[in-house]
Amino acid sequence: MHRIATFALGAFALAASLALPAGAQQPAAPAGTDTVAAIRARGTLICGVAPSTAGFSLPDSRGEWRGLDVDTCRTVAAALLGDATKVRFVPSSTQQRFTMLQSGEIDMLVRSTTWTLGREASLGLSFAGVNFYDGQGFMVRTNSGVTSARGLDGATVCVQPGTTTELNLADYFRTNNMRFTPVVIENVEELRAAFRSGRCDAYTNDASSLAAFRAAEGPAGEQYTLLPELISKEPLGPVVRKGDARFFDIVRWSLFAQQTAEELGITSQNLATFNDSTNPDVQRFMGRSGDLGRQLGLDNEWAQRIVRQVGNFSEMWERNITPLGIPRGANNLWNRGGLHYPPPMR
């Protein structure tokens, strides 16, 4: 936990330094082109991520990106390029992320981004799945005595602009006939600093982001309390441009492959023991039958390569989210009481 706190300090500055100047690297695929062909020609997947969210996307002390969203990008690189390390991560702000994807500056976006009708219908983008089921919450200072979101009437609330969070906040207070004063700050580190300094009574964001913030504070995180209410549904996942069905399918089924592997009990550690399995589902997953990879425009060992290089969904969760103290809950597989339900790989 202390390591998370160390990494979080100054992470935004480090993230910015990792995004090289324009022209220093080959650009992503322009909108309207064959994204798969462009990625293969370039030899690198360009993935937009948040600049500093512990557990989801955060550079470590050596400058290597870590997190659930980061690993989601790596699964696609493993499937498409054969190497999970062939990803260039580009930090994106809440206001710039969609424009970056629309313009072709990045190939895909995995930035704790909520799947909504408006975004998918009007922005020319498609959500390829859900890698984290979340909900919007509130954080307060423990000594405030506030124990419920209903106790925030008249409060000042720190919130980022241009997000579903901002809209949900207004809806919640209006629905409950409560008043609030927003403190709107785009840069997440500046927003968190405003909350720390007492400029706002509460800080609202996805509950996972709030938990990541508290974990990154180390021992000081004990002075903050997450209120029990979740005021929205926030299905978060990878986003691609519309009109490129082949890349969309690869991104979607790379995520489903991780979940299917967990369902079948296949991990990065025991993968080899499944080579001779007679289970038809396992045989198709391992590429021994079904020709599923070629149907996606990949080789037939794409799914097992994802598990070998990145792990199944449970391994990805344990590595990135468990240290934050967030339970699996809704993010369990369907047969364990959760919402993740991968379609059949056949």
Side-chain angles (χ1 to χ4, degrees):
M1 201 66 70
H2 290 161
R3 189 173 65 176
I4 293 175
T6 301
F7 293 166
L9 293 174
F12 189 86
L14 176 57
S17 71
L18 296 175
L20 298 185
Q25 302 183 57
Q26 288 184 316
T33 64
D34 184 337
T35 307
V36 172
I39 292 169
R40 283 177 169 157
R42 188 193 313 124
T44 305
L45 172 72
I46 304 177
C47 198
V49 295
S52 58
T53 302
F56 290 84
S57 54
L58 181 72
D60 65 17
S61 59
R62 297 174 299 174
E64 184 170 350
W65 287 88
R66 306 286 184 185
L68 188 81
D69 288 347
V70 165
D71 281 349
T72 300
C73 299
R74 289 187 174 125
T75 65
V76 177
L80 182 53
L81 296 172
D83 187 343
T85 68
K86 292 185 176 180
V87 185
R88 174 155 62 94
F89 297 102
V90 178
S92 59
S93 71
T94 55
Q95 301 235 2
Q96 296 171 333
R97 53 185 166 170
F98 297 125
T99 302
M100 292 171 68
L101 183 56
Q102 291 165 330
S103 68
E105 185 176 345
I106 56 178
D107 298 315
M108 60 184 291
L109 175 70
V110 194
R111 194 200 180 285
S112 297
T113 298
T114 302
W115 186 351
T116 70
L117 184 154
R119 288 173 171 175
E120 194 160 77
S122 65
L123 297 180
L125 306 175
S126 292
F127 285 76
V130 176
N131 70 346
F132 194 96
Y133 287 100
D134 210 345
Q136 185 173 333
F138 293 94
M139 178 175 285
V140 297
R141 280 173 288 281
T142 305
N143 62 12
S144 69
V146 176
T147 58
S148 166
R150 296 300 295 272
L152 293 174
D153 191 15
T156 54
V157 183
C158 280
V159 62
Q160 282 184 290
T163 62
T164 56
T165 306
E166 189 178 23
L167 298 174
N168 294 335
L169 175 64
D171 286 349
Y172 178 79
F173 276 80
R174 184 183 304 113
T175 299
N176 289 286
N177 196 29
M178 294 162 54
R179 298 172 298 102
F180 78 101
T181 301
V183 176
V184 181
I185 301 174
E186 162 68 13
N187 184 288
V188 67
E189 292 304 323
E190 293 178 9
L191 187 72
R192 291 168 177 172
F195 176 60
R196 289 190 199 98
S197 69
R199 282 184 58 192
C200 39
D201 303 309
Y203 170 26
T204 188
N205 208 328
D206 292 343
S208 61
S209 180
L210 296 176
F213 162 68
R214 185 171 61 180
E217 295 293 285
E222 296 178 5
Q223 65 184 303
Y224 305 121
T225 296
L226 267 168
L227 299 182
E229 295 91 348
L230 293 180
I231 66 170
S232 70
K233 295 182 296 183
E234 305 294 333
L236 314 177
V239 194
V240 300
R241 289 181 293 277
K242 279 186 177 178
D244 197 334
R246 186 161 62 134
F247 185 54
F248 174 87
D249 287 345
I250 290 171
V251 174
R252 164 172 279 185
W253 284 97
S254 293
L255 176 59
F256 286 154
Q258 280 193 304
Q259 296 168 357
T260 299
E262 181 180 0
E263 196 175 56
L264 294 172
I266 302 173
T267 73
S268 60
Q269 300 302 308
N270 67 16
L271 180 67
T273 66
F274 286 83
N275 280 325
D276 299 321
S277 173
T278 58
N279 182 325
D281 289 329
V282 172
Q283 288 181 339
R284 286 188 288 268
F285 184 91
M286 299 293 288
R288 303 291 181 256
S289 67
D291 224 21
L292 299 182
R294 289 190 174 87
Q295 293 177 35
L296 286 172
L298 305 172
D299 63 89
N300 284 334
E301 295 189 351
W302 67 282
Q304 64 163 293
R305 188 164 57 247
I306 287 173
V307 175
R308 183 183 303 111
Q309 296 185 16
V310 185
N312 69 20
F313 191 80
S314 177
E315 291 178 282
M316 187 168 69
W317 181 279
E318 292 296 323
R319 180 167 62 243
N320 298 303
I321 306 301
T322 296
L324 301 179
I326 300 174
R328 269 300 284 264
N331 286 287
N332 262 309
L333 293 182
W334 63 278
N335 53 5
R336 296 176 188 168
L339 297 176
H340 287 297
Y341 190 101
M345 290 180 63
R346 60 172 181 262

